């Protein structure tokens, strides 16, 4: 990456940062207690650089190949990178040089691969809040076992992550409440829940980390 970020973009992203802070405060968050992860998937490295100039420090990415190319461009002055998407085991090698926190650890095979390629990595265990087993998270029932497996593999489990299932505010509220209970039961610090459309509910239910894409960067293409 060369050149200073576009001033107009930095200004727009600074306004977006203030707007998110205002939403967090209005939702009852004590300032500084809920970390904002700016979800920059599909947006270029130049946009991330502008968002860093606007005061964002932590970024979330979902697509391994896209992420690795972007992170390589920003390698001289990297932000803190959180991997938040489905991660195939054969892509761990590609992202490992850049990832600071793996938020989507959801199965033992991924734990094994991280043990090999990213020993001692900081991870969150992703729980499927829809209740069903399957893609995008371990079931609530299997989460404590996976946390143990990750710890036994030398990974540092700092929290849990979840995406609200479809179904409206009541469904979101009870899903987030259940994730927060798991976080407390496991004695974990990080409870990563809340996105652009449900951050208020997430904060009310005890989120410590919100992952915000479109409300910062606009709609994805
Ligand atoms: C894309 C994504 C987000 C951000 O979604 P927005 O609705 O754009 O805020 C958050 N978390 C995960 C896991 C995502 O994949």
């Amino acid at each position: 990456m060369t050149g200073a970020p576009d001033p107009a973009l930095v200004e727009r992203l600074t306004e977006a940062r203030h707007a998110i802070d205002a939403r967090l405060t209005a939702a009852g968050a004590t300032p500084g207690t809920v970390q904002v992860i700016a979800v920059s998937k599909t947006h270029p490295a130049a946009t991330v650089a502008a968002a860093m100039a606007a005061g964002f420090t932590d970024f979330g990415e979902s697509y391994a190949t896209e992420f690795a190319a972007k992170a390589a461009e920003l390698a001289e002055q990297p932000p803190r990178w959180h991997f938040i998407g489905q991660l195939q085991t054969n892509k761990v090698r590609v992202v490992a040089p850049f990832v600071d926190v793996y938020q989507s650890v959801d199965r033992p095979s991924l734990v094994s691969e991280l043990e090999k390629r990213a020993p001692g990595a900081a991870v969150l265990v992703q729980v499927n809040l829809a209740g069903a087993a399957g893609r995008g998270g371990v079931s609530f029932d299997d989460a404590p076992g996976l946390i143990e497996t990750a710890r036994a593999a030398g990974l540092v489990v700092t929290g849990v992550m979840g995406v609200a299932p479809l179904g409206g505010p009541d469904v979101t509220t009870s899903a987030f409440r259940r994730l927060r209970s798991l976080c407390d039961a496991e004695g974990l610090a990080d409870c990563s829940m809340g996105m652009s459309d449900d951050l208020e509910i997430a904060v009310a239910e005890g989120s410590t980390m919100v992952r915000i894409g479109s409300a910062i960067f606009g709609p994805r293409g």
Side-chain angles (χ1 to χ4, degrees), residues 81-149:
W81 289 117
H82 299 247
F83 199 87
I84 64 171
Q86 285 276 313
L87 185 52
Q88 292 172 262
T89 50
N90 65 4
K91 291 287 166 54
V92 169
R93 187 175 47 81
V94 174
V95 302
F98 307 109
V99 174
D100 294 290
V101 183
Y102 294 87
Q103 291 212 8
S104 48
V105 172
D106 63 355
R107 61 199 190 280
S109 60
L110 182 53
V111 167
S112 306
E113 192 65 14
L114 289 170
E115 180 181 18
K116 263 186 263 167
R117 310 268 184 192
V123 307
L124 278 61
V125 164
Q126 182 177 358
V127 180
N128 187 328
L129 303 188
R135 290 174 65 81
V138 67
S139 68
F140 273 103
D141 285 350
D142 290 339
L146 186 60
I147 290 168
E148 266 321 297
T149 300

Side-chain angles (χ1 to χ4, degrees), residues 24-186:
L24 291 172
T25 305
T30 312
T33 59
V34 178
Q35 199 182 355
V36 176
I37 313 299
V39 178
S40 48
K41 64 189 180 199
T42 78
H43 298 288
T47 300
V48 175
M52 290 170 75
F56 291 100
T57 58
D58 287 67
F59 291 80
E61 290 280 338
S62 297
Y63 309 115
T65 309
E66 185 215 349
F67 163 62
K70 194 183 304 184
E73 282 191 71
L74 295 165
E76 266 181 40
Q77 268 187 299
R80 265 176 75 74
W81 289 117
H82 299 247
F83 199 87
I84 64 171
Q86 285 276 313
L87 185 52
Q88 292 172 262
T89 50
N90 65 4
K91 291 287 166 54
V92 169
R93 187 175 47 81
V94 174
V95 302
F98 307 109
V99 174
D100 294 290
V101 183
Y102 294 87
Q103 291 212 8
S104 48
V105 172
D106 63 355
R107 61 199 190 280
S109 60
L110 182 53
V111 167
S112 306
E113 192 65 14
L114 289 170
E115 180 181 18
K116 263 186 263 167
R117 310 268 184 192
V123 307
L124 278 61
V125 164
Q126 182 177 358
V127 180
N128 187 328
L129 303 188
R135 290 174 65 81
V138 67
S139 68
F140 273 103
D141 285 350
D142 290 339
L146 186 60
I147 290 168
E148 266 321 297
T149 300
R151 285 187 177 136
L155 303 178
V156 179
V157 182
T158 68
V160 288
M161 185 271 261
V163 176
L166 297 176
D170 292 349
V171 171
T172 300
T173 298
S174 62
F176 284 170
R177 192 165 296 176
R178 198 170 174 202
L179 187 64
R180 179 69 227 190
S181 301
L182 173 66
C183 192
D184 291 338
E186 293 291 327

